Amino acid sequence: MKKIAYLVLALLLCCSVLSTDAPSLAAAGNEIQVAFGDSHAMILDAGGSLWVWGDNSFGQLGTGKQTINGTWEDDTMYQILEDHDEQSPIKLLSNIVAIAAGYDFSMALNSQGELFTWGNNDQGQLGNGTTTGVLTPTKIMDNVRAIDAYASAALAITKDNAVWIWGATATEINWGGASEGLDYGYLTTPTKFIENIKKAQVGDRSLFFLDFSGDFYGVGRITYLGVPYSVITSEDIYGVNQIIHEPMLLMEGLTDFACSGQQIFALTNTAQLYGWGANGTTGLVGSDSNSFWIYVPELISNDVKQVIRGGMLIKSDDSLWVWGDIVSTIAFRIFRDGQSLNVGGSVLDTIMEYGNKPLKLLDNIQTATGNNWSRMAVDSDGQLYTWGSNQDGLLGNGKKTIVEVEVIISPDEEYAQEIYHILQDNNVLQPTIVFSLSANEDLPLTSDESIVLQIGSTEIFQGEQLLPPPPVPPQIINGRTMLPFRYLVQTLLGGRVDYDADLRRITAEVAGHEFIMVIDQMQIEIDGVGYDFGQAPMVIDGSTLVPLRAFELVVSELTWDNTTQRVIIRP
């Protein structure tokens, strides 16, 4: 019965077609880019603005704060003591041309070639010469033209086409046993590794390089390098754990490639896509094979325009095709019907073998990305779709799935097993538009055109521009017009909002003004003065709504049109 349910989910995901009335935003300016960490997300819009959202446990959002986690208590639950996660995109930086995300750290490259990193640094992944984390973007290199990150490792390609590496993978490959620059066993500063490279990416205990002639090289764990199993198990290789220290030529005649950790995809100059690596039980390689591991490159598809991390490709007609985690993306961390799902091993027995070859999902797609749990894609109109697990607010739709982690320790204490219990299900089974990227302007918009909010609608406009939607619409409650507070302050006005869950207290800074309020308490303090606006702040569908009049002091102009039931704001 469970397998039938998963098949239905897969068919829903693959066959869904989502329509929208959003205006067309033709892509222009910088290339739109998207990146997923393990539980946070980044997007670079066409105007060069970097937006971030999701988990902030290690300061990977770069806001100067972090979610402070508790400790295991009686081996039952890992508690969040202070929540600074972001469930909707917030603007972090401008003048950015490239982005990358590791598990819990982030990277951004500006137009001057300056590379910034922030977040967790326990394995030297920030490249700043230490193993101390950083909560805000901090420059570590100059003269950089491209960047990449995966897990706890990173690399940069400088303008002279040399690849510099640091973090965990740099230690894993440890060419020739070099130890200079190592701290606590990790390479903590960028170190030159190879020259004359067009593109480079980090994999799981491996690195991959494409040179300007189309030759494709790999280095690291041999099982990821696409060589026959007979070679891996031969005496001179010493089995599957053998590390190849010098770059090995893997293929010729490539135009692009993508590494999804344990899956490697190579795009030839004849538009054919090949893949190899860990195939699992869900067909992660996408070659229509049921083998658990694909050791040598197998053909996945023809007529391929772009290959994408996370098990996706874009064909020449701009259609997006997906495979592998069609089911497991939904099942692995989405715990249906309130049941627990053991992610320690038996999950593979509960996930149906389905989707081991590409299936068409969306049209008009210009770029996409994915991680183990979630996916996102941007269409030709600059609209961002997300789907999959929404733990930590990873989908950017103003909500998040809340889970409880239970740790079961065996009697002999040889291993601990994690069981995830879903507390609130906000996961999404089909691609949903959550963000509209401006082709010509920075968001939030700063022009003189007014922002118009319609009671009961999530469509917010500034001039002809459709802005990112709020998690809940503006609405009238007890005769008072109520607006979603975090959305208005952070997304539209560029301010900051903090929430103390224990005290149910909200503090915010916007346009030089300070707000302090408590949910369901009438008085709202603005710049140290208490006000009563006739309705206390309240929570609806996980979002705090605040009376319209509370914003009169922080915007240039605020108007209520009773006839059309519209709020007009001039920032």
Side-chain angles (χ1 to χ4, degrees), residues 445 447-454 460-463 467 474 481 483-484 487-489 492-493 547-552 554-561 566-571:
L445 299 178
S447 71
D448 289 335
E449 295 178 297
S450 298
I451 298 171
V452 179
L453 302 90
Q454 176 74 54
I460 312 297
F461 286 90
Q462 185 164 33
L467 301 183
T481 301
L483 305 180
Y487 168 81
L488 190 58
V489 170
L492 300 189
L493 301 178
L548 165 72
R549 290 178 55 203
F551 296 96
E552 289 180 333
V554 301
V555 297
S556 299
E557 180 180 345
L558 190 148
T559 304
W560 164 249
D561 188 332
R566 289 179 177 177
V567 178
I568 303 171
I569 297 174
R570 188 177 297 276

Side-chain angles (χ1 to χ4, degrees), residues 524-562:
I524 297 177
E525 185 175 307
I526 303 176
D527 297 332
V529 179
Y531 296 87
D532 182 348
F533 297 111
Q535 173 64 48
M538 61 191 304
V539 176
I540 295 181
D541 294 334
S543 294
T544 301
L545 276 73
V546 173
L548 165 72
R549 290 178 55 203
F551 296 96
E552 289 180 333
L553 294 177
V554 301
V555 297
S556 299
E557 180 180 345
L558 190 148
T559 304
W560 164 249
D561 188 332
N562 190 52

Side-chain angles (χ1 to χ4, degrees), residues 4-16 326-327 354 359:
I4 294 176
Y6 285 143
L7 177 58
V8 171
L9 293 181
L11 292 176
L12 283 172
L13 180 59
C14 295
C15 300
S16 64
I326 292 172
V327 176
Y354 186 82
L359 298 171

Side-chain angles (χ1 to χ4, degrees), residues 222-229 232 240 276-277 293-298:
I222 193 171
T223 45
Y224 301 130
L225 302 188
V227 300
Y229 183 71
I232 294 175
V240 297
W276 64 92
W293 197 280
I294 308 297
Y295 288 99
V296 296
E298 293 188 359

Side-chain angles (χ1 to χ4, degrees), residues 33-43 50-61 99-107 118-120 125 148-153 202 259-261 309-310 312 325 329 333 368-376 386-387 389-396:
Q33 299 176 37
V34 288
F36 264 139
D38 185 52
S39 53
H40 76 291
M42 308 168 69
I43 187 163
L50 169 60
W51 300 75
V52 295
W53 66 93
D55 180 33
N56 199 31
S57 297
F58 297 91
Q60 58 264 53
L61 299 187
I99 58 174
Y103 276 173
D104 39 36
F105 75 101
S106 304
M107 304 170 64
W118 62 95
N120 191 17
Q125 55 264 52
D148 190 61
Y150 176 78
S152 298
V202 184
C259 179
S260 298
R309 274 178 162 158
M312 295 183 284
D325 279 345
T329 293
R333 277 193 177 179
T369 194
N371 64 8
N372 289 334
W373 332 114
S374 308
R375 302 287 186 269
M376 58 178 163
T386 61
W387 66 99
S389 170
N390 201 23
Q391 187 169 339
D392 300 308
L394 192 56
L395 301 185

Side-chain angles (χ1 to χ4, degrees), residues 146-168:
I147 56 176
D148 190 61
Y150 176 78
S152 298
L155 62 79
I157 305 178
T158 49
K159 293 180 180 179
D160 60 358
N161 301 320
V163 176
W164 297 67
I165 63 175
W166 61 94

Side-chain angles (χ1 to χ4, degrees), residues 269-438:
N269 52 21
T270 57
Q272 293 180 307
L273 183 65
Y274 289 83
W276 64 92
N279 196 41
T281 61
T282 56
L284 297 173
V285 172
S287 63
D288 200 16
S289 171
N290 292 320
S291 298
F292 192 82
W293 197 280
I294 308 297
Y295 288 99
V296 296
E298 293 188 359
L299 181 64
I300 297 174
S301 183
N302 297 300
D303 191 31
V304 177
K305 175 182 176 181
Q306 184 179 348
V307 56
I308 300 166
R309 274 178 162 158
M312 295 183 284
L313 63 85
I314 297 176
K315 292 204 171 188
S316 61
D317 62 356
D318 294 330
S319 58
L320 178 69
W321 297 63
V322 298
W323 62 87
D325 279 345
I326 292 172
V327 176
S328 62
T329 293
I330 304 301
F332 202 74
R333 277 193 177 179
I334 299 178
F335 318 100
R336 309 304 302 172
D337 302 322
Q339 297 180 9
S340 299
L341 190 61
N342 173 16
V343 301
S346 64
V347 64
L348 296 179
D349 298 327
T350 69
I351 297 176
M352 180 179 172
E353 294 183 20
Y354 186 82
N356 61 349
K357 59 183 177 181
L359 298 171
K360 183 177 177 180
L361 181 61
L362 290 168
D363 289 311
N364 272 334
I365 299 300
Q366 60 172 306
T367 190
T369 194
N371 64 8
N372 289 334
W373 332 114
S374 308
R375 302 287 186 269
M376 58 178 163
V378 179
D379 68 15
S380 58
D381 292 329
Q383 297 176 123
L384 174 67
Y385 298 77
T386 61
W387 66 99
S389 170
N390 201 23
Q391 187 169 339
D392 300 308
L394 192 56
L395 301 185
N397 61 4
K399 302 178 180 180
K400 68 177 176 178
T401 293
I402 301 173
V403 299
E404 175 187 74
V405 184
E406 181 180 359
V407 181
I408 306 298
I409 299 180
S410 64
D412 56 12
E413 297 187 355
E414 288 185 356
Y415 68 93
Q417 188 177 64
E418 295 183 1
I419 306 295
Y420 286 71
H421 302 282
I422 188 164
L423 301 180
Q424 181 180 353
D425 188 355
N426 284 311
N427 301 294
V428 178
L429 300 184
Q430 62 183 8
T432 303
I433 296 175
V434 298
F435 195 63
S436 294
L437 295 140
S438 171

